[in-house]
């Protein structure tokens, strides 16, 4: 079948692949920042040109936002078709101060490549491109048909991809999808992820008097929007760590016995985890382990608070308004639109008198759970075992990848979530990194996956 020649190509091109990845990472494709729109487009062009250079037909698809790269190689008649999804956009690098090397100047330290986008998702996405290149350059063909869908708005919850997928269901038709945009269980412990959380994100703005007031002259007689905001925020969760919104748990699918057993069997140390986050203790929903809380139970977190005086020294003010950004991570079978209705009803119920509120719904994502007992997952297990030299474990994760739900609802197929990252890769934070050894093992696994899926 030629896999030996392919792996030989991968091994002999490691330095080339690293240099190419660095070139892609140097393009600051920050999708959230309009000042980087031209850079974001350049990253799309880089991906398109890389696909073309290896012999894959590829084009930019223009959208209302950032372009989508679509590529395809369909010269394996009778063989299955794999859809590879990835994103070339990255999160803003700010704050810049904690970075030990500039975010868009990829730097190798201790075998890790440090840069924004190193693991999320340029480095991980690139493994599938280089695996295809290795097949095409060393054998002249791919063992299966492959379609590439690489977008530029994943980090901003853009609407372009949803529209593109809905309007091009025939073009995108496939038997299986693969995404590398998650993590391993730990160093040397590759994983196949079978569950991701969904997301429902809100911004709540609370308004009181029509201007800031003296808190001595007016306090006690006029409601304070920040006090009201604190009341509302505090009402979201109970002391048992459960979300106190009516109906919130109605659609939560309980953990199955085999899952609780598998999670408990993983080599996970609560003490080491506690030390790694540097908090005084671990807290969460009563009755669940840390892995269960992280992977399979819904959560609520305040992501930001603003309003009033936060400059140096005291200022006795009764602020006229304040706001909070808060979000829920959801699990199957919760629906982010239904959660939005429940949150709106809850805020209306608990909002104290004397203030008004505005609740904005930011982007959401559906939770996903894929069948872990399919032939495709078995093929992926063999591929990862071949690439990493060790059997992968089955895990769920707390992050969200909106396209997985879209691939299921629009194309009717499950996605293989083969993450090459590590939990301490600092994605979205300063000093994001990606292990170069994992980069190369990921390429090998991706190359094996194409062979394994052809059977
Ligand atoms: N790659 C991440 C998702 C992820 C992170 C999966 C960690 C598993 C572990 C993705 O790029 C991301 O950042 N997703 C966002 C959601 C999106 C709607 C902004 C997230 O999870 O916050
Ligand atoms: Mn990502
Ligand atoms: Mn991300």
């Amino acid at each position: 079948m030629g896999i030996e020649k392919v792996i030989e190509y991968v091994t002999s091109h490691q330095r080339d692949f690293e240099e190419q990845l660095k070139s892609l990472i140097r393009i600051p494709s920050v999708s959230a920042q309009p000042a980087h729109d031209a850079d974001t487009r350049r990253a799309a062009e880089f991906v398109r040109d890389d696909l073309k250079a290896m012999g894959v037909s590829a084009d930019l698809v223009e959208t209302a936002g950032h372009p989508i790269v679509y590529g395809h190689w369909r010269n394996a008649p009778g063989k299955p078709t794999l859809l590879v999804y990835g994103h070339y956009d990255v999160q803003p690098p700010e704050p810049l101060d904690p970075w030990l090397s500039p975010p868009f100047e990829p730097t190798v330290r201790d075998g890790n490549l440090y840069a924004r986008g190193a693991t999320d998702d340029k480095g991980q996405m690139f493994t599938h491109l280089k695996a295809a290149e290795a097949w095409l350059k060393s054998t002249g063909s791919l063992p299966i048909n492959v379609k590439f869908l690489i977008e530029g708005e994943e980090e901003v919850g853009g609407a372009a991809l949803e529209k593109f997928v809905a309007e091009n269901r025939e073009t995108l038709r496939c038997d299986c999808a693969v995404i590398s945009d998650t993590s391993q269980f730990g160093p040397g412990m590759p994983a196949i992820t079978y569950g991701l959380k969904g997301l429902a994100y809100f911004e709540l703005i609370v308004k009181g008097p029509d201007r800031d007031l003296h808190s001595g002259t007016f306090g006690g007689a006029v409601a304070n929007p920040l006090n009201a905001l604190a009341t509302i925020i505090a009402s979201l969760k109970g002391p048992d760590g459960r979300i106190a919104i009516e109906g919130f748990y109605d659609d939560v699918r309980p953990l199955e016995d085999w899952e609780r057993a598998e999670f408990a069997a993983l080599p996970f140390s609560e003490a080491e985890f506690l030390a790694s986050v540097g908090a005084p203790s671990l807290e969460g929903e009563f009755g669940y382990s840390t892995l269960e809380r992280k992977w399979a139970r819904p959560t609520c977190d305040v992501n930001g608070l603003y309003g009033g005086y936060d400059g140096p020294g005291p200022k006795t003010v009764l602020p006229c308004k304040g706001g909070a950004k808060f979000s829920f991570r959801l699990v199957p079978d919760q629906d982010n639109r239904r959660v939005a209705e429940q949150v709106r009803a809850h805020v209306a119920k608990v909002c104290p008198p004397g203030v008004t509120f505005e609740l904005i719904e930011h982007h959401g994502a559906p939770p996903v759970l894929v069948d872990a007992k399919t032939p495709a997952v078995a093929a992926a297990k063999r591929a990862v075992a071949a690439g990493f030299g060790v059997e992968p474990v089955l895990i769920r994760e707390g992050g969200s990848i909106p396209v997985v739900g879209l691939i299921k609802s629009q194309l009717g197929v499950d996605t293989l979530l083969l993450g090459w990252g590590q939990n301490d890769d600092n994605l979205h934070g300063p000093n994001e990194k990606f292990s170069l050894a994992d980069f190369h093992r990921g390429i090998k696994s991706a190359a094996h996956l194409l062979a394994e899926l052809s059977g």
Side-chain angles (χ1 to χ4, degrees):
M1 188 147 47
I3 185 75
E4 298 79 15
K5 269 164 53 183
V6 176
I7 297 303
E8 204 179 288
Y9 183 97
V10 171
T11 311
S12 59
H13 285 75
Q14 292 195 347
R15 295 297 152 259
D16 296 341
F17 293 167
E18 290 176 12
E19 290 311 311
Q20 292 167 16
L21 174 58
K22 287 183 193 167
S23 300
L24 173 58
I25 284 175
R26 282 192 193 98
I27 306 172
S29 46
V30 184
S31 52
Q33 300 176 342
H36 284 297
D37 281 358
D39 296 319
T40 305
R41 174 171 295 273
R42 267 203 298 138
E45 289 165 353
F46 183 104
V47 172
R48 176 200 60 195
D49 294 345
D50 194 69
L51 286 168
K52 281 180 144 174
M54 69 179 82
V56 172
S57 317
D59 283 302
L60 292 198
V61 178
E62 297 303 332
T63 73
H66 302 297
I68 293 167
V69 184
Y70 177 67
H72 60 85
W73 190 95
R74 289 179 299 188
N75 302 323
K79 290 290 184 182
T81 299
L82 175 69
L83 178 70
V84 175
Y85 166 91
H87 62 92
Y88 65 79
D89 66 322
V90 300
Q91 286 274 330
E94 289 83 9
L96 297 178
D97 213 45
W99 284 85
L100 297 178
S101 49
F104 295 108
E105 186 40 63
T107 306
V108 180
R109 290 192 296 273
D110 295 334
N112 291 308
L113 186 65
Y114 284 86
R116 171 58 83 236
T119 189
D120 186 13
D121 177 41
K122 286 173 173 169
Q124 295 207 53
M125 173 268 285
F126 210 50
T127 60
H128 294 280
L129 269 62
K130 296 300 104 179
E133 175 187 321
W135 272 98
L136 289 165
K137 290 284 164 101
S138 65
T139 73
S141 65
L142 300 178
I144 57 172
N145 303 294
V146 181
K147 296 174 179 177
F148 293 91
L149 181 64
I150 315 294
E151 71 152 318
E153 300 191 330
E154 197 271 350
E155 300 291 11
V156 290
L161 189 80
E162 190 166 348
K163 185 167 182 284
F164 178 74
V165 174
E167 288 172 359
N168 293 278
R169 292 167 58 179
E170 200 45 44
T171 306
L172 295 170
R173 194 145 64 128
C174 56
D175 300 291
C176 177
V178 65
I179 301 178
S180 292
D181 195 21
T182 48
S183 292
Q184 302 179 51
F185 183 65
M189 273 184 279
I192 294 181
T193 298
Y194 70 94
L196 289 171
K197 284 186 182 172
L199 181 70
Y201 199 113
F202 303 92
E203 182 165 355
L204 176 65
I205 300 164
V206 178
K207 292 180 185 153
D210 64 5
R211 63 194 180 280
D212 285 0
L213 300 173
H214 188 284
S215 65
T217 313
F218 298 94
V222 177
N224 180 320
L226 288 186
N227 291 32
L229 185 63
T231 302
I232 298 168
I233 294 292
S235 76
L236 295 175
K237 268 166 103 170
D240 54 0
R242 281 173 71 86
I243 291 146
I245 295 175
E246 204 178 312
F248 185 84
Y249 288 91
D250 286 357
D251 299 326
V252 171
R253 207 191 295 182
L255 272 147
E256 295 189 22
D257 290 342
W258 71 267
E259 296 184 283
R260 297 195 91 161
E262 290 247 344
F263 293 4
L266 289 168
F268 180 77
S269 153
E270 306 252 342
E272 272 171 40
F273 178 71
L274 174 61
S276 79
V277 295
S281 61
L282 295 176
E283 298 300 330
E285 186 183 1
F286 284 17
Y288 293 91
S289 72
T290 295
L291 285 184
E292 289 168 354
R293 291 166 175 169
K294 273 159 53 63
W295 292 351
R297 296 296 299 171
T299 57
C300 168
D301 279 286
V302 178
N303 306 108
L305 287 169
Y306 55 86
Y309 180 71
D310 64 1
K315 178 185 180 188
T316 48
V317 65
L318 193 168
C320 65
K321 68 171 187 175
K325 299 191 184 196
F326 61 101
S327 57
F328 300 84
R329 294 284 172 169
L330 311 176
V331 302
D333 299 302
Q334 289 179 292
D335 174 58
N336 49 292
R337 282 150 310 204
R338 181 161 186 216
V339 166
E341 284 165 25
Q342 293 168 341
V343 170
R344 190 171 292 284
H346 178 87
V347 173
K349 191 173 78 185
V350 301
C351 184
V355 296
T356 59
F357 73 85
E358 183 190 348
L359 184 70
I360 301 166
E361 292 169 28
H362 287 294
H363 58 203
V368 286
L369 207 46
V370 303
D371 187 353
K373 296 174 188 80
T374 61
V377 172
K381 280 185 183 167
R382 292 193 298 272
V384 174
F388 281 75
V390 38
E391 291 285 328
V393 293
L394 267 185
I395 64 169
R396 288 169 70 161
E397 287 202 67
S400 310
I401 305 180
V403 75
V404 182
L406 202 57
I407 290 172
K408 182 74 182 178
S409 63
Q410 294 292 336
L411 308 178
V413 303
D414 274 347
T415 297
L416 297 167
L417 296 162
L418 309 183
W420 318 133
Q422 293 295 346
N423 290 311
D424 64 355
D425 276 349
N426 299 320
L427 49 164
H428 297 198
N431 302 305
E432 177 179 347
K433 68 170 173 65
F434 186 34
S435 153
L436 286 172
D438 285 336
F439 174 56
H440 298 299
R441 291 191 271 251
I443 297 170
K444 280 186 193 148
S445 305
H448 280 284
L449 181 70
L450 298 179
E452 292 291 350
L453 289 174
S454 77

